[in-house]
Amino acid sequence: MAKMGSRKHLKRYKAPKSWPIHPKEDTWTVKPSAGSHSIETSIPLTLVIRDVLKLADNAREAKRIINSGNVLVDGRVVKDYKFPVGFMDVVEIPKTGESYRVLLDRKGRLQLNLIDDSSAKLSKIVNKSTIKGGKTQLNLHDGKNVIIDEDAYSVGDVISLKVPEHEIAEVYPLQEGATVLVTGGKHTGELGTVTEIIENKSSNPNTIIIENSSKDEFLTLKDYAFVVGSDAPAISLLEVNK
């Protein structure tokens, strides 16, 4: 396997396609530290501040902003300049009074959308297990875990978490009629309504049929459906379809 770079750096041309950076501008870029998101589904905080939000002219300035405690992710101060910021994370810049939600554009690239309300984030349940005391641990798409007393949720459902408490405020089941955002495949970034869920009895993956705003239907993998509301988006998804 070819090396991606040093422990601290990553060759820019080998950066994930989800990163909104030009692969040939420089030789090296920042390698994200190990965290809740994988390297393929996140972008280092330095690049968020410098390349995406344009709050710094270079990496040194970006690091200074981050080290000064001027950046919050999901309601908590982050001072690690390599911190991986991923899908649905909420990034706040207190000095400017602006907040952003990390989403995907139609090309599968991570983008930050300006939002008015940063008090909640959506997290998809990707697994769950019973732990000591009969409680249930929900494993979320962003690597975080939530422990609950009663198991009232299913894998594939999305929960709305209060920021920064990470307390469950609402649940959006993956079911017919739900509003979903597609997170993979050729329909990445599209918003639509679930019209049918197809559970395969064979080893083939389960699929789902979604109707978009143009009333066109398309088939995609069930795992690509990220519920964002029961009948309308529960959070700001402005410009996500661009």
Side-chain angles (χ1 to χ4, degrees):
M1 181 182 292
K3 293 184 177 180
M4 299 180 76
S6 68
R7 292 183 177 181
K8 294 183 178 180
H9 299 89
L10 172 71
K11 286 192 174 181
R12 186 174 276 248
Y13 77 91
K14 289 187 176 181
K17 293 181 179 180
S18 60
W19 292 15
I21 61 174
H22 196 286
K24 296 182 179 180
E25 285 184 350
D26 293 297
T27 302
W28 299 97
T29 187
V30 180
K31 177 185 288 188
S33 56
S36 52
H37 296 278
S38 68
I39 188 173
E40 292 81 12
T41 60
S42 64
I43 180 172
L45 192 53
T46 296
L47 302 189
V48 169
I49 298 301
R50 183 191 65 188
D51 299 69
V52 181
L53 298 182
K54 310 294 185 183
L55 297 177
D57 292 328
N58 51 56
R60 181 177 295 179
E61 288 183 8
K63 289 179 184 178
R64 186 181 301 117
I65 292 172
I66 296 166
N67 291 333
S68 299
N70 292 316
V71 182
L72 282 70
V73 179
D74 292 344
R76 296 172 181 172
V77 172
V78 174
K79 294 187 177 182
D80 177 8
Y81 71 94
K82 297 187 295 180
F83 184 85
V85 178
F87 180 64
M88 283 295 170
D89 283 353
V90 174
V91 178
E92 299 175 74
I93 313 296
K95 283 196 172 183
T96 65
E98 295 182 331
S99 301
Y100 305 84
R101 193 181 312 282
V102 182
L103 295 169
L104 292 168
D105 67 13
R106 294 291 286 273
K107 294 183 179 180
R109 296 171 303 193
L110 294 168
Q111 62 179 34
L112 272 76
N113 287 29
L114 191 64
I115 57 175
D116 295 325
D117 184 4
S118 59
S119 64
K121 71 169 290 185
L122 298 185
S123 294
K124 183 178 181 178
I125 301 172
V126 296
N127 199 4
K128 63 178 183 177
S129 59
T130 301
I131 60 174
K132 187 176 180 180
K135 295 185 178 182
T136 298
Q137 177 174 283
L138 303 178
N139 307 123
L140 308 178
H141 83 278
D142 56 6
K144 296 183 177 64
N145 300 313
V146 174
I147 296 176
I148 56 177
D149 293 324
E150 297 182 12
D151 182 13
Y153 310 101
S154 301
V155 172
D157 291 349
V158 169
I159 54 177
S160 176
L161 295 173
K162 297 179 181 178
V163 172
E165 301 92 341
H166 285 150
E167 297 176 355
I168 298 176
E170 190 64 76
V171 59
Y172 303 106
L174 178 54
Q175 60 188 14
E176 292 183 10
T179 301
V180 298
L181 180 64
V182 181
T183 60
K186 66 179 182 180
H187 293 284
T188 297
E190 282 198 54
L191 198 64
T193 302
V194 176
T195 59
E196 184 179 355
I197 298 175
I198 304 170
E199 302 283 352
N200 292 312
K201 295 181 180 179
S202 65
S203 59
N204 293 327
N206 297 323
T207 53
I208 194 168
I209 297 177
I210 299 173
E211 182 183 272
N212 61 22
S213 59
S214 300
K215 303 301 180 182
D216 294 323
E217 290 190 335
F218 60 87
L219 182 73
T220 190
L221 295 181
K222 182 181 177 182
D223 286 346
Y224 290 162
F226 192 105
V227 186
V228 293
S230 299
D231 52 10
I235 57 172
S236 173
L237 294 171
L238 295 178
E239 299 183 1
V240 70
N241 290 322
K242 283 190 176 181

